[in-house]
Amino acid sequence: MTNISQPLIEWYSRNKRDLPWRETKKPYNIWVSEIILQQTRVNQGIDYYYRFIKKYPDLKSLASTHIDELLKVWQGLGYYSRARNMHHTAQYLVNKNKGVFYSNYDDLIKLKGIGDYTASAIASISFNQATPVLDGNVYRVIARVYGIAESTQVKSGINKFKEILNKLIAHKNPGDFNQAIMEFGALQCVPKNPDCENCIIKSVCFAYNKGLISDLPVKKQKVKQKVRYFNYLHIIYNDNTFIEKRTEKDIWNSLYQFPLIETKKEYSLIELQKNKDWLQIFETLNLNIEKEVFTKKHILSHQVLVACFYKIRIIQTTDFLINNYQSIPLAKLDIYSIPRLIEEYLEHINK
Ligand code: SF4
């Protein structure tokens, strides 16, 4: 097996992008950047990284913030469990480890929200441990160069890729190797039309030499997405509206939302008004419903949300509304952390 480690590290030193988290090896900063980048494109992640580090420069400041404030900083990035896990981990390290980050893979992986990929990245970049990372970019490069037709959706496939990476990783500078192979996958050996003619390792690349670039890596099986129907009620009473903090563990836990009626299929407004939740909230059908203002499909990794927002003016509140929702001035809505979907609705009606 030809070792591509050295050519990749040399390629990386010539071609790497200037990214703010590459200016440091501090585990806190590496951790923050890796968590942000888990589900976010690099360009979008840069702004969030700057904002995050400015507001929370270390574990202590992150641990002492209120979760609502953190979620507001995170707003728009999605996958909010990442922020909640970071908050938990920061508090844990402040309380149990004097506010100092763990310095090896075996301890790092025990922390909430830190899996194999993030533990490997921190351990190699910040502490020079030879722990290879395996993300989508690395998977693609290894599958093509060494002709591996196994999937990382199964444990045996992950083991196969890890075995190769463990042989390749440079023990002198493992962090550089990890970053080099990820960057190479992101910039050169891209999913479609990789720049093979100008590739420094094309002479040893299995896929290039066998004409199998579009067959490797093997395609992942698509996860069947569940469709859910969210009917939001944007209720206006004088200059106030009603919100609640979402407590369901499925998505957007701890974020704020308008009263929501979830249904198993798409409901027309007439059907929705007959729903028991609707009647419980309003106790009447005699309402001023402005119109069906906004509908939107929101696609997440495992589910599709079909959302419909109704703007409804009421002239008197009900006990159910008062007891179950928070009444807030309409003008203060923007201080609450809300899902991107609701933010888009608000942008739409305020156009
Ligand atoms: S030759 Fe093409 S497929 Fe092979 S590593 Fe280089 S860019 Fe990727």
Side-chain angles (χ1 to χ4, degrees):
M1 186 178 93
T2 311
N3 194 326
I4 55 170
S5 172
Q6 201 47 38
L8 287 188
I9 291 174
E10 282 166 20
W11 175 92
Y12 179 63
S13 68
R14 289 193 304 274
N15 295 287
K16 68 178 170 190
R17 289 167 289 182
D18 267 342
L19 299 172
W21 46 87
R22 288 190 175 149
E23 289 161 11
T24 178
K25 290 195 169 186
K26 283 186 195 161
Y28 176 78
N29 296 54
I30 303 299
W31 174 56
V32 170
S33 68
E34 292 296 348
I35 301 290
I36 288 176
L37 293 179
Q38 270 172 17
Q39 311 276 353
T40 308
R41 280 175 288 109
V42 167
N43 283 350
Q44 191 198 3
I46 292 174
D47 280 353
Y48 276 93
Y49 173 81
Y50 276 127
R51 220 178 306 156
F52 196 101
I53 293 291
K54 192 169 174 212
K55 191 148 177 73
Y56 308 118
D58 49 29
L59 282 171
K60 241 184 180 170
S61 51
L62 179 57
S64 61
T65 194
H66 192 282
I67 185 66
D68 281 356
E69 204 175 305
L70 173 60
L71 291 174
K72 190 70 197 162
V73 173
W74 200 264
Q75 188 168 305
L77 268 178
Y79 299 94
Y80 291 83
S81 56
R82 291 183 289 171
R84 281 190 296 276
N85 288 341
M86 286 177 90
H87 194 231
H88 181 280
T89 287
Q91 290 181 331
Y92 180 84
L93 288 171
V94 165
N95 294 330
K96 304 276 182 196
N97 206 39
K98 299 182 179 154
V100 178
F101 231 95
Y102 285 158
S103 59
N104 65 75
Y105 175 91
D106 291 341
D107 288 334
L108 285 163
I109 199 152
K110 290 180 195 147
L111 295 169
K112 199 164 183 187
I114 295 192
D116 172 69
Y117 168 79
T118 311
S120 301
I122 300 171
S124 62
I125 297 169
S126 301
F127 303 108
N128 239 18
Q129 264 196 293
T131 46
V133 292
L134 177 55
D135 72 350
N137 287 324
V138 176
Y139 170 52
R140 186 166 56 257
V141 174
I142 296 295
R144 284 175 175 169
V145 174
Y146 296 108
I148 311 297
E150 288 181 51
S151 162
T152 49
Q153 280 174 310
V154 291
K155 187 93 181 78
S156 59
I158 294 175
N159 292 343
K160 179 79 190 168
F161 282 87
K162 279 278 185 174
E163 194 188 312
I164 293 172
L165 288 164
N166 272 313
K167 286 183 191 153
L168 293 179
I169 195 163
H171 285 259
K172 208 171 99 206
N173 43 5
D176 284 353
F177 169 77
N178 277 340
Q179 293 186 88
I181 192 165
M182 286 193 281
E183 191 78 335
F184 188 77
L187 301 181
Q188 173 95 29
C189 192
V190 293
K192 279 190 189 144
N193 306 320
D195 186 8
C196 297
E197 288 315 313
N198 295 308
C199 176
I200 43 145
I201 51 173
K202 69 179 179 192
S203 63
V204 297
C205 176
F206 177 91
Y208 176 71
N209 291 302
K210 302 275 182 202
L212 291 171
I213 290 160
S214 50
D215 298 306
L216 289 168
V218 289
K219 306 276 174 295
K220 290 190 173 180
Q221 271 181 3
K222 284 220 163 103
V223 184
K224 198 165 183 286
Q225 288 176 313
K226 183 180 167 195
V227 183
R228 303 169 70 181
Y229 298 88
F230 281 14
N231 304 280
Y232 286 110
L233 310 174
H234 180 196
I235 302 167
I236 297 170
Y237 176 57
N238 296 330
D239 284 332
N240 281 14
T241 190
F242 293 87
I243 57 170
E244 64 175 345
K245 196 171 197 171
R246 192 170 168 86
T247 51
E248 285 84 346
K249 294 267 184 278
D250 53 353
I251 46 166
W252 302 330
N253 180 263
S254 301
L255 266 64
Y256 288 84
Q257 63 182 10
F258 295 128
L260 166 69
I261 300 174
E262 183 173 348
T263 50
K264 287 206 165 66
K265 59 183 184 76
E266 201 153 10
Y267 272 24
S268 67
L269 179 57
I270 293 171
E271 286 171 318
L272 189 64
Q273 284 176 290
K274 290 181 193 154
N275 186 292
K276 64 174 178 17
D277 291 343
W278 176 287
L279 288 167
Q280 196 170 29
I281 292 171
F282 297 116
E283 294 169 6
T284 174
L285 295 179
N286 190 17
L287 297 164
N288 178 359
I289 298 165
E290 291 207 345
K291 59 185 161 154
E292 189 180 301
V293 225
F294 188 64
T295 54
K296 172 128 181 94
K297 226 182 207 182
H298 193 71
I299 299 171
L300 301 167
S301 54
H302 292 87
Q303 50 191 317
V304 176
L305 307 180
V306 182
C308 185
F309 291 80
Y310 297 94
K311 196 169 173 187
I312 301 161
R313 281 183 198 277
I314 54 174
I315 46 172
Q316 67 180 55
T317 59
T318 62
D319 287 344
F320 189 83
L321 264 177
I322 293 166
N323 295 334
N324 292 281
Y325 299 94
Q326 208 175 318
S327 170
I328 61 155
L330 277 167
K332 291 249 167 90
L333 197 50
D334 65 351
I335 65 170
Y336 292 86
S337 43
I338 54 176
R340 176 73 191 129
L341 177 63
I342 297 183
E343 208 182 349
E344 282 177 287
Y345 159 71
L346 293 171
E347 284 165 6
H348 172 81
I349 58 165
N350 291 327
K351 253 190 229 161

